[in-house]
Every structure is written in structure tokens, then in C-alpha cells.
Amino acid sequence: MIQFLKESTFAVNEVLSKSIQILKGHYFSIGGLLLSIFLLFVVAHELTFYLEMSSILIKIPLMLLFAVTLLGLQLFLFKYILNLLDHKEHVGVVKTWPSWSELFIFLGGIVLFTLSSLLILVVAMIVCFPLIYMGIDTEVVSFEIVPNVAAILSFFILLRISFFPFFIIDKGTNVTKSLRWSLAITKGNVVRLFLILLSLAFVSVLNIYWVYMEYSIMAIIFSLINSFLIIPLTSVVYTVAYRDMVQEYKGSEDPSILSNIF
């Protein structure tokens, strides 16, 4: 077990080191894309108030436009980082921008991703339901145990399937196959991914701590670090981890769900 943790830690350090090098060399392009996504999200949020009384004929086209642009920018960001990893820095914007089929598949994956969260909540309710007959108060089961169990299950299962967008843009797979591939490459890598997320979340936790302790200067410092370093780094780290896991994968070319859950 100790050797396994050492190997996992070493692998995590490699991923973080490679990601930092990529971010250092292309900080403004990656940061600019993330800033574009953030600003577009803010504009879309603000427009909902101004268009509240507008005709549905105006709302629907605008909603679709913002949705397609947001999805496109997110996939564009992942494609751009993949090009950097493959030493294709000079690939044009047109070739990097996702196709309509990739956008629709990505949207379908998001829908299934959301449904998975709801399914996990239902499973948690079923698993915890017998506790009521064991004498535990119904409110405790409903509002404390079930949400906590669902949160833990959601974290690990959604972590396993969260790499599906990369297979859409990198391998040209459909929705179900991209989810199956994500399960397959993350099998045996959960500890490694957890350590990566823990490393990235450390600054955010410190930021929350300083806000809670009402140390405004420290809170501002860590907020800036989180905004200008950790958030851009997260996208790069996720992409680097994907590429590494794909290269290490030795399983079937058409992975099944059941054989890769555990």
C-alpha cells in the first residue's frame, strides 16, 4: 500500500509538473479562453433579467446561441491544450473549433452526466431507507445521511466519467462510448485523480479558511492565486491526466461498463 501511494504521488507530481510547464508557456492564451468563458457566462446571466419580459421568440434563439458558444469554447479549450501536448501549437482556430456533431454529442454527455447525479441520489435513498426501520429518525436519514452518502458516491462516480469530453474531441466517439472509455481509463487511477484534485483544491480551502477567519488581506491573496493560477491550471492538469491515462491504458478497445465500474 505504501509503495502504491508512493507511485501515485510520483505520478501526480509528474502531471502537475508537466501542466505547470505548459501553462507557463501559454498562460495568456489559456487564461484568455477561460476569461472568455467566464465573461460569456456573466453576460448570459445578466441578460436573463433584461429579457425576462421579452418574447419567447427572442429568448430561445439567444439561449441556444449562448449554450452553443459556451459548449464550443469549453471544447475548444480542451482541444487547444491537447494540441499543445501533441506539439501542434500552430493548428488554426477553424480546425480547433469543435464540429456541430461534437457539440451535440457533448450536450448529450452533459445530459447523461446530470441524469447520473440524479440516479446516484435515488440509489443513496434506496440504500439508506432500511436505516429508518433500525430506529434512526426519518429526518436524520432524509436530510443528513442520504445527502452525505449521495455526495460521496457522486464524487467518485462522476470523477470516473468526467473525462468523456476528451474522447469526443480526441477519438470521435459517441456519447455512450465516451462515457465507457472514461470509466475504463480511470479504473485503478481513482487515488491518483483524488490526489490531483486534493492538490488543486488546497488553495481554495485556504481561501475559504481566511474568509471564515475574517483575514481580508490573506483572503484576497489566496482568491487571486485561485483565480489566476489554480483555475487555469485545473484545465491543463485534467487534459494532461487524460493523455497520460490513455497512453497507459492496456484494456479493450471497446470497454464495457460493468467490467470497469470496480
Side-chain angles (χ1 to χ4, degrees):
M1 183 64 185
I2 294 174
Q3 183 61 30
F4 174 73
L5 289 174
K6 284 183 179 179
E7 292 174 359
S8 296
T9 304
F10 179 75
V12 168
N13 290 337
E14 274 195 336
V15 169
L16 291 174
S17 176
K18 191 186 297 185
S19 302
I20 290 170
Q21 289 301 316
I22 291 172
L23 187 62
K24 279 173 63 178
H26 304 87
Y27 178 81
F28 290 104
S29 54
I30 294 171
L33 282 169
L34 283 166
L35 181 61
S36 300
I37 293 171
F38 173 74
L39 290 176
L40 188 64
F41 183 80
V42 171
V43 170
H45 182 264
E46 291 298 320
L47 275 178
T48 56
F49 294 101
Y50 290 106
L51 299 175
E52 191 173 354
M53 304 302 294
S54 300
S55 169
I56 194 169
L57 295 176
I58 298 176
K59 287 181 180 178
I60 292 178
L62 281 175
M63 286 172 60
L64 290 174
L65 176 63
F66 278 113
V68 168
T69 309
L70 281 169
L71 294 177
L73 282 172
Q74 185 62 69
L75 288 182
F76 182 89
L77 175 63
F78 288 147
K79 265 192 172 184
Y80 177 71
I81 299 171
L82 284 173
N83 287 338
L84 295 178
L85 287 173
D86 298 335
H87 307 290
K88 299 177 182 177
E89 292 91 342
H90 304 295
V91 175
V93 173
V94 175
K95 290 186 178 180
T96 307
W97 187 263
S99 65
W100 282 106
S101 62
E102 288 173 337
L103 286 171
F104 282 120
I105 293 170
F106 185 35
L107 180 59
I110 291 174
V111 172
L112 287 179
F113 194 87
T114 306
L115 291 175
S116 299
S117 303
L118 297 175
L119 181 61
I120 291 167
L121 180 60
V122 173
V123 171
M125 291 173 65
I126 294 172
V127 170
C128 296
F129 186 73
L131 295 175
I132 296 174
Y133 294 97
M134 296 171 62
I136 300 177
D137 187 72
T138 305
E139 289 190 0
V140 173
V141 173
S142 301
F143 298 107
E144 294 183 24
I145 297 177
V146 169
N148 289 327
V149 171
I152 294 170
L153 289 174
S154 296
F155 174 79
F156 286 104
I157 294 176
L158 298 182
L159 177 65
R160 296 284 309 279
I161 63 175
S162 62
F163 289 89
F164 77 89
F166 295 102
F167 290 100
I168 296 170
I169 57 177
D170 192 35
K171 306 293 184 183
T173 57
N174 57 32
V175 177
T176 55
K177 193 168 184 178
S178 62
L179 291 169
R180 286 190 281 121
W181 265 107
S182 186
L183 278 173
I185 66 166
T186 54
K187 184 180 180 181
N189 286 307
V190 174
V191 173
R192 188 185 306 181
L193 293 172
F194 179 73
L195 290 174
I196 289 173
L197 290 178
L198 198 63
S199 303
L200 294 171
F202 182 68
V203 174
S204 298
V205 171
L206 284 177
N207 183 33
I208 294 169
Y209 170 77
W210 292 121
V211 170
Y212 177 76
M213 296 299 293
E214 297 183 353
Y215 288 108
S216 57
I217 296 177
M218 294 300 294
I220 291 170
I221 291 171
F222 279 94
S223 179
L224 291 172
I225 293 172
N226 191 55
S227 300
F228 291 98
L229 177 61
I230 300 303
I231 293 175
L233 183 62
T234 300
S235 297
V236 182
V237 166
Y238 231 63
T239 311
V240 172
Y242 158 78
R243 183 62 91 213
D244 285 358
M245 288 189 294
V246 167
Q247 291 173 349
E248 295 172 1
Y249 179 69
K250 305 296 182 185
S252 169
E253 291 298 315
D254 189 22
S256 65
I257 292 177
L258 292 178
S259 61
N260 287 295
I261 291 178
F262 301 105

